[in-house]
Amino acid sequence: MCCIDTPKKIFGKLYQSVYFCGVMTKAERTRHFIVEKAAPIINKKGMAGTSINDIVEATRLTKGSVYGNFESKDEICLEAFDYLAKRVGADIVMAMSRANSNKDKLFALFEYYLAVVSQENTYGCPLLNFGTEADDTNPIVKQKVNKAILATENLIAKVVRSGIEAGEFKRSFDPETFSIKAFAMIEGGMWIARLQGNNKQLQIILDSLKQEIDDYCQ
Amino acid sequence: MCCIDTPKKIFGKLYQSVYFCGVMTKAERTRHFIVEKAAPIINKKGMAGTSINDIVEATRLTKGSVYGNFESKDEICLEAFDYLAKRVGADIVMAMSRANSNKDKLFALFEYYLAVVSQENTYGCPLLNFGTEADDTNPIVKQKVNKAILATENLIAKVVRSGIEAGEFKRSFDPETFSIKAFAMIEGGMWIARLQGNNKQLQIILDSLKQEIDDYCQ
DNA sequence: ACCATTTTATACCGATCGGTATATTATTGC
DNA sequence: GCAATAATATACCGATCGGTATAAAATGGT
């Protein structure tokens, strides 16, 4: 589904890299390009902490060019969150799809988070970063994060449910409780890992979740 | 230890409220007053999202007056975090001290977080708010949050440990693992509660922690 | 290859940012 | 109560903020 565009020289500047679809118009591709470059910066420095100039520098475009494709900084932030959330969601589904049993799907989810937290240029979970900033300031982002939380929890609950139906897990394994608990532990654990600068506590948290799953296996 | 100062009229403006100690100099009291007013704003809007003007308006002082007491906005943010973290810590110790058994101390901790999350003008846990913003931008705040995390976890672990020694909990109850896990769940749970606008999931998370404690009681 | 349309760069806007010099006012030690 | 000191308000600084008008340049349909 993806294709690579030849980098274009405009006014002597090299400014585009990878596009997701060749049938996009120029404007759509540039919009996507801007979001792609802005998203990690916003995830790192926050919405309030990121200036248009940061985005201009990262894209190597100009302010007029950025505002030719977006109404406002706010719109860029919204699309940046959507982009990051969609990517995380896709990566999780991908990681889980490779596992065969439902237990292994849950374990794959844990491994994904463990891998992502130590990755360079990732700057932590976008749900946590955007969520904590938005909860008292930006109701639109807040609602988007809220939906993403519920979606992730539902994903976990669904796996547990199909594990029960497949006879893999005991019937006493409560999908809703576990999904809520596991998600809170993962987000809390990733937050701690980033602040501590290591995965020690996150590892303990994920091991504890794995233990709980094993206890519910039959 | 606390005393109430008569509100002072200066240039016709009423600008001071409650001080913690009467032997403070005027400057010390004003510093404290500024921190007291700024802290909830910074906790709500973030360090980058809060302007000096926000603090000027909240204190009803002037910019020159604020900068007469602080070197920079950064210094205010640091003291605001210290103030909030210290207050949370003191409230937790207070809540726990009223309980007799170690189990009840842990339950009291949970109740504290449950109460705080629905409180007006609280704007969520300062550790989470400052921590997520600081982790990629402000190493000093990052370290402060880091220390506060460890302190809280140690507090939990200590209660579990003395519960084991008192014969209240089984020896299989691991203090370190539980404290890490419980803290991640609480922070994650509070974060979710604030975004969802209700305590439903936090309640489930805390109930799950209580269940685990009960399972380790003998 | 041309021309209408889209997209870009330049230059600029008023507002606000964090921060400061200074004069005025309040406090404090005596 | 007075002088020395501390704390405050006013006015202002350059830089940067988010955003825009406009003209030049690139794109795309024919």
Side-chain angles (χ1 to χ4, degrees):
Chain A
M1 255 314 152
C2 299
C3 61
I4 297 178
D5 221 77
T6 319
K8 300 280 167 59
K9 278 237 179 196
I10 290 176
F11 292 102
K13 290 180 187 172
L14 200 67
Y15 78 98
Q16 285 186 332
S17 55
V18 180
Y19 304 122
F20 284 94
C21 193
V23 297
M24 286 171 149
T25 70
K26 183 86 210 312
E28 286 173 321
R29 289 183 312 191
T30 306
R31 258 183 91 91
H32 188 89
F33 171 75
I34 292 170
V35 168
E36 205 177 28
K37 293 290 180 189
I41 300 172
I42 299 171
N43 198 35
K44 176 182 182 181
K45 303 174 71 172
M47 297 182 285
T50 302
S51 68
I52 295 292
N53 232 36
D54 290 332
I55 296 168
V56 166
E57 281 176 20
T59 54
R60 302 192 60 184
L61 296 173
T62 56
K63 197 181 280 193
S65 191
V66 170
Y67 275 101
N69 289 284
F70 288 94
E71 286 259 315
S72 63
K73 176 184 159 184
D74 227 64
E75 191 186 347
I76 301 176
C77 289
L78 290 184
E79 293 226 6
F81 173 76
D82 284 338
Y83 167 73
L84 291 170
K86 191 183 288 182
R87 218 179 55 174
V88 168
D91 286 351
I92 289 175
V93 168
M94 174 97 71
M96 282 178 139
S97 71
R98 279 195 278 264
N100 293 319
S101 70
N102 289 289
K103 172 186 158 177
D104 284 347
K105 280 187 194 298
L106 293 176
F107 278 38
L109 178 75
F110 301 157
E111 291 311 315
Y112 165 78
Y113 280 114
L114 193 60
V116 111
V117 86
S118 24
Q119 224 165 59
E120 290 286 325
N121 307 324
T122 299
Y123 310 120
C125 178
L127 300 195
L128 192 68
N129 289 335
F130 281 75
T132 50
E133 183 175 359
D135 68 345
D136 291 307
T137 55
N138 192 325
I140 298 167
V141 172
K142 180 178 177 177
Q143 196 185 339
K144 279 178 181 291
V145 175
N146 198 5
K147 283 180 72 174
I149 290 173
L150 293 174
T152 310
E153 289 175 340
N154 281 336
L155 187 68
I156 297 172
K158 212 173 107 186
V159 175
V160 173
R161 236 175 270 122
S162 63
I164 293 171
E165 277 161 32
E168 204 178 330
F169 300 139
K170 297 174 186 166
R171 296 227 160 255
S172 57
F173 199 0
D174 183 48
E176 278 73 32
T177 301
F178 181 77
S179 67
I180 289 168
K181 188 175 154 179
F183 183 70
M185 280 171 75
I186 290 170
E187 289 291 338
M190 289 188 69
W191 171 67
I192 293 170
R194 290 198 56 76
L195 283 164
Q196 307 264 344
N198 65 67
N199 292 343
K200 242 184 65 186
Q201 298 202 6
L202 180 60
Q203 194 66 255
I204 291 171
I205 286 163
L206 296 180
D207 285 346
S208 164
L209 281 170
K210 288 180 185 175
Q211 185 61 52
E212 185 165 343
I213 293 168
D214 279 332
D215 290 344
Y216 279 113
C217 275
Q218 56 184 11
Chain B
M1 257 310 153
C2 298
C3 63
I4 298 177
D5 221 78
T6 319
K8 300 280 168 59
K9 279 237 176 195
I10 290 178
F11 291 102
K13 290 179 185 169
L14 200 66
Y15 77 98
Q16 286 183 332
S17 55
V18 180
Y19 305 122
F20 283 95
C21 192
V23 296
M24 284 170 150
T25 70
K26 184 87 210 309
E28 286 174 321
R29 289 182 313 192
T30 306
R31 259 183 90 90
H32 187 90
F33 171 76
I34 291 170
V35 169
E36 205 176 27
K37 293 290 180 190
I41 300 172
I42 300 171
N43 198 36
K44 176 182 182 180
K45 303 174 72 174
M47 296 181 286
T50 302
S51 69
I52 294 293
N53 232 36
D54 290 331
I55 295 169
V56 166
E57 281 176 20
T59 55
R60 300 192 60 183
L61 296 172
T62 56
K63 197 181 280 193
S65 193
V66 170
Y67 275 100
N69 289 285
F70 288 94
E71 286 258 314
S72 63
K73 176 184 159 184
D74 228 63
E75 191 186 347
I76 301 176
C77 289
L78 291 184
E79 293 226 6
F81 174 76
D82 284 338
Y83 166 75
L84 292 170
K86 190 183 289 182
R87 218 179 55 175
V88 169
D91 287 351
I92 289 175
V93 169
M94 174 96 75
M96 282 178 140
S97 71
R98 278 196 278 266
N100 292 320
S101 69
N102 288 290
K103 171 185 158 177
D104 284 347
K105 280 186 195 300
L106 294 176
F107 278 38
L109 178 75
F110 301 157
E111 290 311 316
Y112 166 78
Y113 280 113
L114 193 61
V116 110
V117 85
S118 23
Q119 224 166 56
E120 291 286 326
N121 307 325
T122 298
Y123 309 120
C125 178
L127 300 194
L128 192 68
N129 289 335
F130 282 75
T132 49
E133 183 175 1
D135 68 346
D136 292 305
T137 56
N138 192 325
I140 298 169
V141 171
K142 181 179 178 178
Q143 196 184 339
K144 278 178 180 290
V145 175
N146 198 5
K147 283 181 70 173
I149 289 173
L150 292 174
T152 310
E153 290 175 340
N154 281 335
L155 189 69
I156 297 172
K158 211 173 105 185
V159 175
V160 173
R161 236 175 269 122
S162 63
I164 293 170
E165 277 162 31
E168 205 178 328
F169 300 138
K170 296 174 186 168
R171 295 225 160 255
S172 56
F173 198 2
D174 184 49
E176 279 72 33
T177 302
F178 181 77
S179 67
I180 289 168
K181 186 175 153 177
F183 184 70
M185 280 171 73
I186 290 170
E187 289 291 338
M190 290 188 68
W191 171 67
I192 293 169
R194 289 198 57 77
L195 282 165
Q196 308 263 343
N198 65 66
N199 291 345
K200 241 184 65 186
Q201 298 201 6
L202 180 60
Q203 194 67 256
I204 291 171
I205 286 164
L206 296 179
D207 284 347
S208 164
L209 281 170
K210 288 181 185 174
Q211 185 61 51
E212 186 165 343
I213 292 168
D214 278 332
D215 289 345
Y216 279 112
C217 275
Q218 57 184 14

